[in-house]
Amino acid sequence: MPDEVATNADDAPLWLHVEEAAARLGIRPAALRTRIARGQHSHRKDNRGRLMVPVSAALALPAPDEDGHRQDEEVERLRQRVEELTTSLHDARLALVKAEAAAEIAKVKAEAEVAAQRELVGELKLALADARRPFWRRWVGA
């Protein structure tokens, strides 16, 4: 039994099984079944009890030569896109490495500055402690 059941008019829809209809509509069979269950798509059952849905004849599959040509163009377009994305990914990784290096340098500089400031604070505390001693102890040296 063929999967396609055409009606008598040329412009009438083709009644296709769910899998083939989903392929022509560009959706998954599960999504089409969900639409049927929700009442969003008309359907009927064939003699075996399988679901069939109407699909416009305009969605008929292209001729084999045309389909092969379309697939070649699509494959080439996708290859170019993959190449663009690979280049973009490489650039992004390079920028990430540069940013990580700059962050590490900034971290080392900040740690050095903090260490220098702590040393200065220690020296200033010693100078303050010396300045707070009575003047006569500073003169005597005790």
Side-chain angles (χ1 to χ4, degrees):
M1 181 171 175
D3 283 339
E4 296 182 1
V5 179
T7 58
N8 53 5
D10 289 337
D11 59 342
L14 298 173
W15 285 88
L16 305 173
H17 293 283
V18 172
E19 291 77 16
E20 187 177 352
R24 290 192 184 194
L25 294 172
I27 60 175
R28 294 178 301 141
L32 184 55
R33 285 187 186 96
T34 302
R35 290 181 184 178
I36 292 169
R38 291 182 181 164
Q40 297 173 342
H41 205 287
S42 60
H43 68 283
R44 70 180 183 197
K45 292 188 177 186
D46 66 1
N47 291 339
R48 294 183 180 177
R50 295 185 301 177
L51 287 176
M52 298 183 73
V53 293
V55 177
S56 172
L59 294 176
L61 295 175
D65 295 337
E66 183 181 338
D67 188 35
H69 183 66
R70 284 184 184 173
Q71 286 179 353
D72 292 343
E73 288 176 356
E74 184 70 12
V75 167
E76 184 59 32
R77 188 183 67 77
L78 291 174
R79 282 187 183 148
Q80 289 175 355
R81 184 66 177 143
V82 167
E83 185 177 325
E84 291 171 6
L85 292 173
T86 303
T87 304
S88 176
L89 178 62
H90 176 71
D91 294 344
R93 284 181 178 165
L94 184 61
L96 176 64
V97 168
K98 287 180 181 179
E100 287 174 345
E104 188 63 31
I105 290 171
K107 181 181 175 183
V108 169
K109 283 183 180 179
E111 289 173 353
E113 287 179 7
V114 167
Q117 288 177 354
R118 285 185 179 156
E119 186 179 329
L120 179 62
V121 167
E123 291 174 5
L124 289 175
K125 283 183 179 180
L126 289 175
L128 180 61
D130 187 49
R132 287 185 174 167
R133 287 186 329 168
F135 71 95
W136 58 271
R137 285 197 178 196
R138 283 180 278 176
W139 284 349
V140 174

